Structure formats: C-alpha cells, structure tokens
Amino acid sequence: MTPLEKGTIYELRIYDAMPGRLPALLSRFENHTLQIWEKHGIRQAGFWTTLIGASENNRLTYLLAWNSMAEREERWSAFLTDPEWIVIKAETEKDGQLVQNISSELLAPTAFSSVK
C-alpha cells in the first residue's frame, strides 16, 4: 500500500488574492463555497490567513481532508461543475477576478504526526 492508499490525505491549498480582494474571497468561502462543499461531501480541516509573512495581506491557506485520491477526484469534479458554484463564481467576480494564483499539494501524514 502506498501512503495515498491508507489513511486520510490532506490537500494544502494556497490562494493568493488579487490586491485588495482578500475580503471578497473570504466572504465567498464563508457565505457560499462551504455550503456547496457540504452538499458534495467535501471536508475542510481548517482555514488560515497569514499574519506575518511575504503574503500577509492577500493569502488564504486551507486544508481539505480526503479518504482517497478517487474520492478527491469525484467530489472535486462534482463541485467544479456544480451549476450553483458556476453562478456564484461568476457573480462574485463581476468586478474582477478574486484570485491571482492557486497552489495545491496533496499530503500524507507521517507515522509520528499528531494528525492522521
């Protein structure tokens, strides 16, 4: 078994918002995205903004928890093609895009991690 076949997989996602657009991005997550994720069974493991660092004024970092790569593919694809999400994304970006860059990494906990 590979690390991706056993235990929870965490997806670290980092969004660099367009200058001045972090409040709108946070609002979209809080008021829309999380409810759509819930409908699709997408589990968040935490959200953070950067207090001190190179991107302290425009970065949102969050973790998603997945049972498997297959679950991630199925649920993330369903979310991205959800008609409600497509409408919300367009509405919240009518004054310009919110995100200039997204990075994503899939993480497997080590044997000694407090998070499994």
Side-chain angles (χ1 to χ4, degrees):
M1 244 186 213
T2 69
L4 295 180
E5 295 172 320
K6 58 182 177 182
T8 302
I9 299 164
Y10 291 91
E11 183 171 0
L12 173 66
R13 296 183 63 89
I14 300 171
Y15 287 39
D16 290 320
M18 297 297 290
R21 302 290 278 157
L22 182 59
L25 179 62
L26 295 174
S27 177
R28 181 168 74 187
F29 271 99
E30 183 176 9
N31 298 309
H32 304 287
T33 307
L34 293 179
Q35 291 82 355
I36 300 170
W37 282 1
E38 188 173 323
K39 175 172 68 171
H40 292 286
I42 296 173
R43 300 180 331 255
Q44 60 114 331
F47 279 82
W48 298 267
T49 54
T50 303
L51 289 176
I52 299 172
S55 300
E56 62 195 46
N57 295 318
N58 72 328
R59 180 166 281 177
L60 172 65
T61 302
Y62 66 92
L63 284 174
L64 297 175
W66 305 105
N67 292 323
S68 67
M69 292 298 291
E71 177 196 48
R72 180 196 180 274
E73 182 62 34
E74 177 185 321
R75 294 184 182 196
W76 195 252
S77 293
F79 162 67
L80 291 176
T81 58
D82 185 301
E84 182 182 4
W85 167 245
I86 293 168
V87 168
I88 290 299
K89 186 174 187 306
E91 284 178 6
T92 57
E93 294 188 347
K94 67 180 182 281
D95 296 325
Q97 72 183 59
L98 300 182
V99 179
Q100 61 183 336
N101 185 56
I102 298 173
S103 68
S104 175
E105 294 182 19
L106 296 169
L107 309 171
T110 62
F112 51 87
S113 175
S114 65
V115 176
K116 299 293 181 198

